[in-house]
Structure formats: C-alpha cells, structure tokens
Amino acid sequence: HIIKSSFNNKSYQLNVSLPKTYSKLDTLHYPVLYVLDGKFSYQSFNSIREVLDLGKEIKDVIIVAIDGNCVTDEDWFAGRYNDFTPSSLPQADTQWSKMMNILEGKLKSGGAELFLNTLQKDFMPFIDKNYKTTSNQGLSGHSLGGLFAGYCLIKKPELFKSYGINSPSFWWNNNEM
C-alpha cells in the first residue's frame, strides 16, 4: 500500500505480511507488529516468521513493514534520517551529508514527531480498517529506527504493547533520549 501522510506530506510504502491462517471469512483477529526500515527488514521478518511457523513456535501476527516510497538509496536514507530523529541538528545534517556523500541540504533531522503522528493517525487506522487486527500492537526498529522506537516509548508509551529497540542510536544529540 502507498499511504500519503497527512502530517509531513510524504508518501510511504506499507508491506503487509499475513499469517498463513488469515482468512476474511472467519472471526479471528491478530496482533500487529509494525517494523521500520521495511525496505531491508520486511524480507527478514517475513522469512523468520515463516520458519517459526513451521514448528508452531510463534503466534500468528500481522507484520507491517514501513518504508518511504523512495527510488534511490540516497532518498531512502534522507527519509529515515528525517523521520527517525527527534530533534533538529543542522550541524549533524551537514556532517552526515559529507559522510554519506549526499548533496548538502538534503538531510534534515528532527521529523520524529510528524512521523509519530503519521504512524498513529494514518498508518494504524488504515491497517485496522483493512485487516482484522487486535489492540495488541508492537513496534520494532534498528539503529535510527531503534532511536525512533525509543522516542515512541517515551512520548506515547501506551501506543504499543511491545517494543523491539535494536541497536538504537541513542547517542543522537548528546544522548538526549
């Protein structure tokens, strides 16, 4: 699905992986795991879930992998850099632009609040409307995605029942998190 944010005017791609047992015909509803950096994490999460399904080692869950609707790796990095950072640091923007060989001015930090609103008020209602979900929802992120997951936990701890905060970039802005 391609969803346009009503908060930051960006478009995002949501890849949805359903449990094998999912059927529109029954009354079963499923927990949801929202996964950041969907471009790279969707295949891993989906594959791991399929392997664990074989031995009935995991409960059925809907996986929603979120990513920017980007063509280039440069656009992908710029989008996640903006969405996952909780504060604006122009000096860091310049430094990261040089390190990543990205055109100066393309990286802009500090978009986490708008992305959190997008997640809560655009993505989650869309998924709840179009899929059979429960209120048991989780969020997983790695690196800058882990920073954003930590930001969500602090800003809106009730939004998710579980958090996967993996190798988070808590060093951001002198460890502000």
Side-chain angles (χ1 to χ4, degrees):
H1 305 281
I2 303 295
I3 307 287
K4 188 166 186 177
S5 168
S6 55
F7 296 92
N8 63 17
N9 211 29
K10 294 183 193 176
S11 291
Y12 295 89
Q13 182 170 328
L14 305 182
N15 288 312
V16 180
S17 174
L18 301 172
K20 275 192 223 179
T21 58
Y22 190 95
S23 171
K24 292 181 180 183
L25 304 176
D26 63 30
T27 60
L28 296 175
H29 286 73
Y30 301 90
V32 180
L33 176 61
Y34 290 91
V35 179
L36 302 172
D37 287 325
K39 176 179 178 177
F40 295 106
S41 60
Y42 177 75
Q43 288 181 341
S44 296
F45 274 78
N46 191 45
S47 295
I48 291 167
R49 196 256 311 272
E50 287 178 359
V51 168
L52 293 174
D53 272 347
L54 292 173
K56 305 289 184 215
E57 298 175 74
I58 188 171
K59 291 182 179 182
D60 287 334
V61 62
I62 296 170
I63 298 172
V64 178
I66 303 166
D67 218 330
N69 189 25
C70 304
V71 175
T72 68
D73 287 343
E74 183 178 293
D75 289 340
W76 171 80
F77 185 81
R80 76 185 296 269
Y81 180 85
N82 176 259
D83 289 341
F84 299 162
T85 52
S87 52
S88 176
L89 294 175
Q91 189 174 20
D93 300 350
T94 299
Q95 182 181 17
W96 277 94
S97 291
K98 288 177 184 172
M99 284 184 355
M100 300 297 290
N101 199 26
I102 294 174
L103 185 65
E104 177 109 20
K106 190 166 187 170
L107 292 184
K108 290 185 172 61
S109 53
E113 183 176 344
L114 294 175
F115 185 68
L116 177 55
N117 286 329
T118 299
L119 177 60
Q120 181 180 14
K121 297 175 182 170
D122 290 336
F123 301 160
M124 293 172 79
F126 175 83
I127 295 298
D128 289 342
K129 179 181 175 191
N130 290 285
Y131 297 94
K132 298 179 343 177
T133 65
T134 67
S135 62
N136 183 1
Q137 302 192 14
L139 177 67
S140 180
H142 173 264
S143 190
L144 286 175
L147 174 67
F148 179 77
Y151 175 80
C152 289
L153 179 59
I154 290 169
K155 288 290 187 178
K156 299 221 174 178
E158 72 288 346
L159 187 58
F160 297 100
K161 290 194 176 172
S162 58
Y163 291 84
I165 300 174
N166 308 297
S167 191
S169 299
F170 285 157
W171 49 261
W172 180 260
N173 196 12
N174 295 311
N175 303 308
E176 76 177 281
M177 293 297 293

